[in-house]
Amino acid sequence: MNNLLSMHQLTDTDIMRLIERALEMKAGNYTPFTETKYIANLFFEPSTRTKASFEMAERRLGITSIPFDADHSSVTKGESLYDTCRTMEAIGCDALVIRHGITEYYDEMEDLGIPIINGGDGSGSHPTQSLLDLMTIYEQFGSFSGLKVLIAGDISHSRVAKSNQQALSKLGAEVRFCAPEAWQDDSMAVSYVDLDDAVEEADVIMLLRVQHERHGDAVDFTKKAYHMKYGMTLARHQRMKEHAIIMHPAPVNRDVEIDGRLIESPRSVIFEQMKNGVFMRMSVLQEIFGSEK
Ligand code: CP
């Protein structure tokens, strides 16, 4: 694997290999790289989880992270994304983790000589989030075949929804969406359902963050109205199957996508997703850097 740009590029075999390796690493079975390796984590959009868990994954594998802060870099003087990346390559970075607001920013990077791991591109893809979500689902159910996964919320702006829909369908799960009409995306062949009609059948209910920063003035829901129609309320929670789980990529808008009292409830795997993110990113880094174990 030379780059990790989107879930489109991974086969079901690739995904399962990454999951199995991440689970091994979670069990403590990994050895840091012996060769010196350098990575720059280039985040042009805010991040808590993705950036910090890549840094944790890099440290656990003995990789040196080169600090980069877009707001105090020459990006503020007009440096292009390509020139920032070429600079990192020229000074000796072995790979780049990039989050950027432009969907498919990586199309401009074809001449780059080092691997890119996509940490999220606009409303396009978020492959490592999808992989850690898949790892978390696999840990709970041991298989994807026939699982009913309901993804609810801001579908059209969500790179997580797109990446998970691509991967889960490939792995044999049945994905359905629930979203306000304005946030539906017809480019994906997925049926939209009412949350109240689907809540009792789902094995996994994944709520998505309302992405206010991508809406402009187009949002006309109050928080309460959104929560009552599209959120995980206490009443819906009580109607879920006994074994069903609640997921959210986070950050969560508490009491909007999920009643705040459910975020750390027994059904919620939200913090397990974050924990798994470190091991999945270690697994991806090992894949990118090849056979050295
Ligand atoms: N889930 C996720 O990508 O979180 P951050 O934006 O905090 O990285």
Side-chain angles (χ1 to χ4, degrees):
M1 194 163 79
N2 296 325
N3 292 302
L4 178 58
L5 304 179
S6 83
M7 293 305 282
H8 275 307
Q9 76 183 76
L10 300 180
T11 64
D12 51 355
T13 309
D14 294 331
I15 293 170
M16 289 313 301
R17 184 178 62 253
L18 285 160
I19 292 174
E20 296 292 358
R21 190 192 294 122
L23 289 169
E24 276 286 300
M25 290 173 141
K26 189 176 181 181
N29 299 324
Y30 65 90
T31 313
F33 291 110
T34 50
E35 263 176 39
T36 308
K37 298 190 188 302
Y38 298 98
I39 285 190
N41 301 307
L42 308 180
F43 279 66
F44 297 88
E45 283 191 330
S47 169
T48 302
R49 274 145 293 275
T50 311
K51 187 162 187 280
S53 67
F54 263 112
E55 286 177 2
M56 182 63 81
E58 289 155 12
R59 285 176 198 210
R60 285 191 173 164
L61 288 175
I63 297 168
T64 301
S65 308
I66 302 301
F68 175 80
D69 173 359
D71 292 340
H72 293 90
S73 74
S74 290
V75 172
T76 60
K77 297 181 248 174
E79 183 174 74
S80 71
L81 175 61
Y82 177 76
D83 286 339
T84 304
C85 293
R86 278 290 288 127
T87 302
M88 293 298 166
E89 181 182 2
I91 66 171
C93 287
D94 297 298
L96 302 175
V97 176
I98 305 176
R99 170 172 290 188
H100 202 282
I102 296 178
T103 300
E104 299 179 1
Y105 66 79
Y106 44 76
D107 284 350
E108 292 172 30
M109 301 294 149
E110 279 172 6
D111 294 335
L112 206 66
I114 53 175
I116 293 175
I117 304 171
N118 183 6
D121 61 292
S123 298
S125 299
H126 196 348
T128 60
Q129 178 69 44
S130 175
L131 286 165
L132 73 87
D133 290 343
L134 297 171
M135 174 185 175
T136 308
I137 294 171
Y138 187 73
E139 262 188 326
Q140 297 290 323
F141 296 99
S143 163
F144 296 98
S145 182
L147 272 187
K148 293 186 185 340
V149 181
L150 178 61
I151 304 180
D154 194 350
I155 300 286
S156 61
H157 298 100
S158 175
R159 48 200 179 203
V160 178
K162 294 180 185 84
S163 292
N164 276 333
Q165 187 271 332
Q166 290 158 19
L168 285 163
S169 303
K170 211 176 293 194
L171 291 162
E174 183 190 305
V175 181
R176 296 202 283 175
F177 287 160
C178 167
E181 207 173 327
W183 299 344
Q184 295 183 8
D185 181 343
D186 296 332
S187 68
M188 289 176 276
V190 178
S191 55
Y192 282 83
V193 293
D194 188 288
L195 192 49
D196 280 319
D197 294 339
V199 73
E200 287 173 7
E201 289 176 17
D203 299 298
V204 176
I205 301 186
M206 183 182 294
L207 294 312
L208 301 173
R209 184 174 67 86
V210 177
Q211 300 197 28
H212 295 287
E213 73 276 21
R214 301 192 205 276
H215 291 155
D217 298 328
V219 180
D220 55 5
F221 293 107
T222 63
K223 288 180 180 178
K224 175 96 177 150
Y226 181 88
H227 182 61
M228 294 316 292
K229 181 95 175 113
Y230 301 103
M232 180 54 67
T233 60
L234 290 179
R236 291 191 181 110
H237 172 257
Q238 282 174 356
R239 292 176 53 213
M240 289 175 71
K241 276 188 196 172
E242 195 182 335
H243 66 265
I245 59 170
I246 297 172
M247 302 181 77
H248 192 302
V252 178
N253 292 307
R254 283 177 176 258
D255 300 321
V256 180
E257 298 104 32
I258 306 182
D259 187 304
R261 290 166 287 185
L262 298 175
I263 289 172
E264 295 186 62
S265 66
R267 282 188 193 288
S268 166
V269 294
I270 295 171
F271 285 93
E272 200 61 23
Q273 289 173 262
M274 296 177 206
K275 183 175 182 176
N276 286 343
V278 174
F279 300 104
M280 180 49 77
R281 288 169 177 129
M282 289 168 70
S283 177
V284 167
L285 289 167
Q286 195 162 80
E287 185 95 1
I288 289 283
F289 285 129
S291 59
E292 188 186 354
K293 296 280 189 295

